[in-house]
Amino acid sequence: MNKKSDIIYGIRTVIEAVKSGQHLERVFIQKSLKGDLYKELMLELHRTSTPISKVPPERIDKFTKKNHQGVVALISPVQYHTLEHLVPQLYEQGKNPLLLILDEITDVRNFGAIARTAECLGVDGVVIPSRGGAQINEDAVKTSAGAFNYLPVCREKNLLDAARYLKESGISVISCSEKTKKTLDQMDFTSPTAIIMGSEERGISSELLDLSDGIAKVPMSGSIESLNVSVAAGMALYEVQRQRKS
């Protein structure tokens, strides 16, 4: 349960928070809600790609017993970015962009660990889906050891569209997956790159794999066929830095 200081409630309160630029981690909405104010709320939430969960009344009541009007929002501990703003900034700063796309990583501790490694290894931004992935909550922030204070996070409505935008911006999109014979050291990471890491259960979606400019895996010689995703991400990012510093 989130601390009460981490939530806001009431339809108008949440609408005004979104309009003012407040970043919300998720908005819980009572399933039975209707009316003009509800429609205005939904428009604002869809406009900002804010994650929404339709829940029964008792779920809302667990957050607060006050007059919530069927709406409770979790305040995000970070300010989200958009790729359309971040990528041009990176080029303007003279950087050789390195981005990490997380395809529905659901474990918050894996998410936090990946963010910590990414920040340490020079990643310029992490891209996550607005639905289906882990939230940046207290556990994720703690596991990241403060990395979310420095690492830009882009919450995108559609990862396929995000990947297409990156490719159009001159950034190679490389999937880290065991579904290939090519290993990471055989890839060229010296140019602008975005690396995709897949979910713990199903890996990278077939659509993203098809869209990728290349697929590579961590070279392994043991009996176990897969690595924890946070460990694999660290190894992939180390290979990028090794190539860029050689």
Side-chain angles (χ1 to χ4, degrees), residues 2-233:
N2 287 69
K3 296 176 293 184
K4 285 183 170 53
S5 58
D6 294 333
I7 70 171
I8 56 176
Y9 52 86
I11 301 177
R12 175 56 66 187
T13 299
V14 174
I15 289 173
E16 294 305 326
V18 176
K19 284 184 174 180
S20 70
Q22 175 71 60
H23 290 225
L24 304 178
E25 193 61 32
R26 183 169 295 275
V27 178
F28 294 88
I29 301 174
Q30 190 171 306
K31 288 180 179 179
S32 59
L33 279 190
K34 295 178 182 178
D36 292 339
L37 207 54
Y38 164 75
K39 292 177 182 177
E40 183 181 348
L41 171 66
M42 295 303 292
L43 282 173
E44 288 299 323
L45 296 178
H46 287 306
R47 179 183 64 81
T48 54
S49 299
T50 302
I52 301 166
S53 290
K54 296 288 188 71
V55 297
E58 53 268 25
R59 179 72 187 279
I60 303 289
D61 290 336
K62 287 183 179 180
F63 288 103
T64 180
K65 296 295 185 181
K66 296 182 180 179
N67 185 23
H68 50 64
Q69 299 175 304
V71 175
V72 170
L74 305 183
I75 298 173
S76 174
V78 302
Q79 294 293 300
Y80 288 104
H81 299 250
T82 64
L83 282 176
E84 287 77 7
H85 287 93
L86 179 63
V87 170
Q89 287 177 359
L90 296 176
Y91 280 125
E92 288 168 9
Q93 293 167 5
K95 289 193 173 184
N96 182 11
L98 173 59
L99 298 163
L100 195 59
I101 302 173
L102 304 184
D103 183 17
E104 297 190 6
I105 302 295
T106 56
D107 187 287
V108 293
R109 290 178 176 82
N110 275 340
F111 186 21
I114 290 170
R116 180 177 184 173
T117 302
E119 202 285 323
C120 289
L121 291 177
V123 170
D124 296 303
V126 173
V127 183
I128 62 173
S130 58
R131 299 189 65 178
Q135 296 180 16
I136 302 182
N137 59 17
E138 187 176 345
D139 285 338
V141 171
K142 183 177 180 180
T143 309
S144 78
F148 286 117
N149 294 321
Y150 306 98
L151 183 66
V153 179
C154 300
R155 188 168 62 182
E156 300 292 328
K157 187 180 296 184
N158 187 305
L159 288 187
L160 278 173
D161 289 343
R164 290 189 188 99
Y165 172 78
L166 292 174
K167 288 163 65 79
E168 291 167 0
S169 301
I171 298 174
S172 295
V173 175
I174 306 298
S175 287
C176 185
S177 170
E178 73 281 359
K179 297 177 181 179
T180 181
K181 293 183 178 180
K182 185 171 287 189
T183 54
L184 289 165
D185 58 308
Q186 296 175 302
M187 303 297 293
D188 181 7
F189 293 118
T190 58
S191 59
T193 302
I195 296 177
I196 305 176
M197 303 301 303
S199 71
E200 298 89 345
E201 296 298 325
R202 63 178 181 81
I204 300 170
S205 71
S206 58
E207 294 86 358
L208 280 172
L209 285 173
D210 291 342
L211 190 64
S212 298
D213 295 301
I215 304 173
K217 64 181 179 181
V218 175
M220 297 173 62
S221 56
S223 300
I224 298 175
E225 296 182 354
S226 64
L227 292 166
N228 173 278
V229 64
S230 66
V231 174

